[in-house]
Amino acid sequence: MKKLIMVGLLVTVSQSSMAVGLVNDMQLCQGVIEFVDNKLKKAPRYYDKADVKTVRQGLEAYNQYIQREIVAPRLLKFNGGDAEKTKQMQKQVDAYKSTVVNQLQSRYPQENLLTDHAISVNDCAKKAVPSGEDLDRLKDAVNTMVKLAQMN
């Protein structure tokens, strides 16, 4: 009986840890998305406007997917359904995301996109894969990011 209880506790702890771990990964991913979007707000003149729009829309859809399907529900579950605690935790997530954006801006001060940026978004997609139209838009965004990075 003791073993059964321990296994049940390990599964519960493990699921909570995995939920928090994925939220941590996704806040990093949201930081990367925001960083790339900021770069594209001041995109080099030689980037085609349609390409910039494709990337921005695809990343925005992916960011919304991450928030809607992963971050928000897992934070709520982690906080036992307490909306106020979840709201406070979301503020911490947002603060960390801002730190990520600032670090990336320091590391990559140039205006143009690099292949590294596309790889980072692709690595995020491996951890949390959207479906349907969101996935198609994300694929288009990453492929277009690679295209833009190769223009440098």
Side-chain angles (χ1 to χ4, degrees):
M1 183 68 168
K2 272 187 175 180
K3 287 182 183 180
L4 190 56
I5 292 172
M6 281 299 257
V7 170
L9 287 175
L10 288 175
V11 169
T12 303
V13 170
S14 165
Q15 288 174 345
S16 292
S17 297
M18 287 181 358
V20 171
L22 187 57
V23 169
N24 289 340
D25 288 344
M26 292 300 101
Q27 67 185 352
L28 179 63
C29 292
Q30 286 181 311
V32 170
I33 290 168
E34 186 174 325
F35 164 75
V36 171
D37 188 62
N38 289 345
K39 279 215 172 290
L40 291 175
K41 286 177 185 174
K42 301 178 251 174
R45 284 183 236 126
Y46 54 88
Y47 284 178
D48 182 77
K49 289 181 182 180
D51 286 342
V52 170
K53 184 177 180 180
T54 296
V55 174
R56 290 186 78 200
Q57 287 179 340
L59 293 182
E60 177 59 25
Y62 187 47
N63 192 37
Q64 288 176 8
Y65 162 80
I66 290 170
Q67 186 63 37
R68 179 185 67 244
E69 300 296 328
I70 298 168
V71 175
R74 289 178 187 226
L75 289 179
L76 189 61
K77 183 176 180 179
F78 180 78
N79 287 297
D82 186 321
E84 190 55 40
K85 284 183 183 177
T86 300
K87 184 178 176 181
Q88 294 306 314
M89 195 173 239
Q90 181 65 54
K91 286 180 183 178
Q92 293 173 358
V93 167
D94 293 340
Y96 177 73
K97 192 171 32 173
S98 293
T99 301
V100 169
V101 172
N102 292 334
Q103 289 173 345
L104 289 170
Q105 287 170 338
S106 294
R107 184 171 179 188
Y108 300 103
Q110 61 276 31
E111 288 184 359
N112 54 319
L113 291 180
L114 302 176
T115 309
D116 288 0
H117 306 141
I119 291 169
S120 293
V121 172
N122 191 58
D123 288 346
C124 289
K126 290 177 185 176
K127 295 175 186 172
V129 184
S131 59
E133 187 177 332
D134 287 343
L135 178 58
D136 293 338
R137 292 171 82 182
L138 179 59
K139 285 179 186 178
D140 290 343
V142 171
N143 289 331
T144 305
M145 288 173 68
V146 170
K147 174 185 163 185
L148 295 175
Q150 291 174 344
M151 295 175 73
N152 303 324

